[in-house]
Amino acid sequence: MEDVLESLHQPSSPQNPTTCPDNRIPYLVRKCIALLQNCASSKFKLKQIHAFSIRHGIPLTNLDMGKHLIYAAVSLSVPMNYAHNIFTNIQSPNVFTWNTMIRGYAESENPKPAIELYNHMELKPDTHTFPFLLKAVSKVVNVRAGEKIHSHVTKNGFESLLFVQNSLLHMYAACGRYESAYNIFEFMPEKDIVAWNSVINGFALNGKPNEALTLYKKMVSEGVEPDGFTMVSLLSACAELAALALGRRAYVYMVKVGLNTNLHSSNALLDLYAKCGTISEAHKIFDEMGTRRNAVSWTSLIVGLAVNGFGKEALDHFKEMEREELVPSEITFVGVLYACSHCGMVNEGFHYFRRMKEEYEIVPIMEHHGCMVDLLGRAGLVKEAYEYIQDMPLQPNAVIWRTLLGACTIHGHLGLGAFARAQLLHLEPKESGDYVLLSNLYASEQRWSDVHEVRRRMLNEGVRKTPGHSLVELGNQVHEFVMGDKTHPQSKAIYEMLVEIAKKLRLAGYVPQTANVLADIEEEEKESALFYHSEKIAIAFMLVNTLPGTPIRIIKNLRVCADCHLAIKLISKVFEREIVVRDCSRFHHFRDGYCSCKDYW
DNA sequence: TTAGGGTTAG
């Protein structure tokens, strides 16, 4: 390539390169451009052409030359400062060049300058400008900028274009405004597969999995055929609800239409199985993927193993991932450190934390520090955890202090617990979970007047306890139960089953763990309050409705309390059922009277 | 020479 370029123009002497005579520029530029058009496959060629231009004095400020260099750089994902330098030197760039710059930033790791560029755009934007720009807005999650751009779309008369509508729809969904996204969707005269996927994903992303599933069914009933993108959204909605049966049906469909070879869909499926606690199935998908696996597949499995309590296996897979020379991401390390903290592997945790920084040059994010605080705190090194927080390069957030408070509650460290609580009160004063944690800390020390004080403050501040709820899937339906739930049509049978459970557990030696109830109410009242926790109701419901030996899977929005944990261990033994509980931070696999967390959670 | 949608943590 360089030879071709060199032959176009011979400098007068190699030691003393001359600038290109003006009359040769158009010819050289044309040749360069022809070559640039074929260069979208190699950064190396781009560099050579750039060097050639400099050597022979072809000005990069020449619009024809500059815009192609920018286009090539953006297509090759060359860091944006390269394109930016050329761009700032071009005299009067055209719309294509502005668009290419906006696109480049939108696709880069730092999309914010795309919006700033648009604000300084000296030309009228065209139909290409807005999709690029909205992509940037979606990535920086700036709904106010998005709304402003929406009004510009309208002003420019582009609102009726399908592409632009889809961009707007996606922008609102990505910014958490799933209702605005749905509004756009509803009024679209023509809805293609991208529109359906975007609106379904908007719900799946924003904690509305049921709405996502409903729309999916509507899409299928209207004869629109799902593709790989649809499957990803569907499967992630299923994962949130732990709708395993539905996810399995989706897999059957994927195999039927050949989508099981789609990398993203397979990854989403793998994640679904991991999130349902069915690690063996996750493994099966992972094995089936073979060489198609990428870093996301490995990360999903590693995180899945870690949260399911298989810390050692998670680390083994990490080592294998390294052997296969896949580059772990910061999320991979969240999984690795999580595995260490939840399995009490303190030394390993520090080992991997160091390697992450030194070998992979990953700057620790808050989540990594959270794992480290948890690693120390769980292992009973509460003071060391506090010292770690003090030495952290980042300003500790509420999650960090909550982790410390949790460790203080488990290991009974009143002084530090109260201190962590004070920080939390400052950062997130209305978080009911923190009141509960503090109250549990006092209750475990029988300091009932302090427990009372916490409760009084909660009432005064108008903080309501987040109601606990549990989800179970039966047949094709997900059932939800809240504490003391009596609204279910099968309520009578459920409560009869609860009485039977109570009877059998007593015989097995069960003593209710009442210390964690948020008040010094009478013992008997406490017992009944515990017995109506949503997870126990959900278990009773499943015992009524499933055949002996069927595993029971439960998703809980809060942490499992000590009493439920003990009771479920015994239920798994007495009723001979495998019970998997996914709480807000991890999995518990109960079997034959034991839990996979080894009572360390 | 330019346009829209995807998975992993929290």
Side-chain angles (χ1 to χ4, degrees), chain A residues 500-533:
Chain A
E500 195 188 326
I501 294 173
K503 221 188 285 170
K504 288 194 173 171
L505 291 199
R506 295 254 179 224
L507 288 172
Y510 164 69
V511 179
Q513 308 283 298
T514 51
N516 280 346
V517 178
L518 182 68
D520 54 341
I521 47 176
E522 293 299 316
E523 282 298 312
E524 206 174 310
E525 262 181 72
K526 277 200 242 178
E527 279 186 36
S528 61
L530 288 170
F531 224 85
Y532 296 128
H533 272 176

Side-chain angles (χ1 to χ4, degrees), chain A residues 191 193 196 215-226 253:
Chain A
K191 301 170 173 67
I193 182 76
W196 278 103
L215 269 166
Y216 171 77
K217 285 175 197 153
K218 190 155 181 276
M219 166 182 163
V220 174
S221 75
E222 291 189 12
V224 181
E225 213 155 277
Y253 173 82

Side-chain angles (χ1 to χ4, degrees), chain A residues 107 109 135 164 216 219 224 240 271 331 361 374 402 433 540 584:
Chain A
E107 290 172 357
E109 280 181 11
K135 188 184 218 168
V164 178
Y216 171 77
M219 166 182 163
V224 181
E240 191 160 332
D271 180 57
I331 306 173
E361 293 173 348
D374 196 46
R402 196 167 294 131
C584 58

Side-chain angles (χ1 to χ4, degrees), chain A residues 14 24 146 154 156-157 168 308 354 401 536 547 554:
Chain A
R24 302 255 316 146
T154 313
N156 282 282
L168 284 167
N308 276 284
R354 187 182 55 71
W401 291 116
K536 293 192 184 112
L547 292 169
I554 296 174

Side-chain angles (χ1 to χ4, degrees), chain A residues 441-449 451 515:
Chain A
L441 175 59
Y442 287 134
S444 65
E445 306 271 323
Q446 274 92 48
R447 291 177 50 154
W448 301 119
S449 66
V451 171

Side-chain angles (χ1 to χ4, degrees), chain A residues 12-207:
Chain A
S12 46
S13 92
Q15 285 79 31
N16 193 15
T18 59
T19 51
C20 182
D22 280 357
N23 63 352
R24 302 255 316 146
I25 288 179
Y27 173 66
L28 286 173
V29 166
R30 269 207 310 281
K31 281 289 171 191
C32 273
I33 287 168
L35 290 160
L36 272 170
Q37 266 149 14
N38 297 321
C39 95
S41 60
S42 148
K43 287 183 195 178
F44 180 67
K45 285 184 193 169
L46 179 69
K47 265 191 200 158
Q48 283 188 325
I49 294 172
H50 182 100
F52 174 85
S53 312
I54 299 281
R55 260 203 316 281
H56 301 301
I58 301 175
L60 298 177
T61 50
N62 178 301
L63 175 62
D64 280 332
M65 189 71 207
K67 72 180 182 185
H68 281 89
L69 275 174
I70 291 173
Y71 177 66
V74 164
S75 302
L76 294 167
S77 312
V78 172
M80 280 306 286
N81 50 4
Y82 174 80
H84 184 85
N85 274 338
I86 298 174
F87 183 73
T88 47
N89 287 316
I90 293 180
Q91 280 153 10
S92 45
N94 60 3
V95 179
F96 169 72
T97 314
W98 281 96
N99 287 350
T100 310
M101 285 301 293
I102 292 172
R103 172 190 157 204
Y105 279 117
E107 290 172 357
S108 77
E109 280 181 11
N110 174 24
K112 220 173 160 185
I115 302 165
E116 286 154 24
L117 257 172
Y118 169 74
N119 289 335
H120 292 105
M121 197 163 164
E122 289 147 6
L123 299 167
K124 200 169 144 55
D126 66 5
T127 53
H128 302 280
T129 316
F130 288 108
F132 290 141
L133 184 59
L134 288 165
K135 188 184 218 168
V137 173
S138 304
K139 277 172 87 171
V140 298
V141 194
N142 182 345
V143 75
R144 283 185 60 189
E147 281 168 336
K148 200 174 123 198
I149 291 161
H150 188 165
S151 73
H152 293 188
V153 166
T154 313
K155 210 170 71 190
N156 282 282
F158 297 142
E159 210 174 20
S160 57
L161 294 169
L162 179 66
F163 281 118
V164 178
Q165 287 168 345
N166 277 336
S167 295
L168 284 167
L169 165 47
H170 175 249
M171 180 275 294
Y172 281 118
C175 294
R177 298 278 282 267
Y178 52 85
E179 277 159 335
S180 309
Y182 185 70
N183 253 340
I184 292 182
F185 177 76
E186 247 194 336
F187 288 105
M188 282 171 75
E190 183 197 342
K191 301 170 173 67
D192 66 359
I193 182 76
V194 177
W196 278 103
N197 288 345
S198 301
V199 76
I200 291 174
N201 196 44
F203 284 116
L205 272 180
N206 290 296

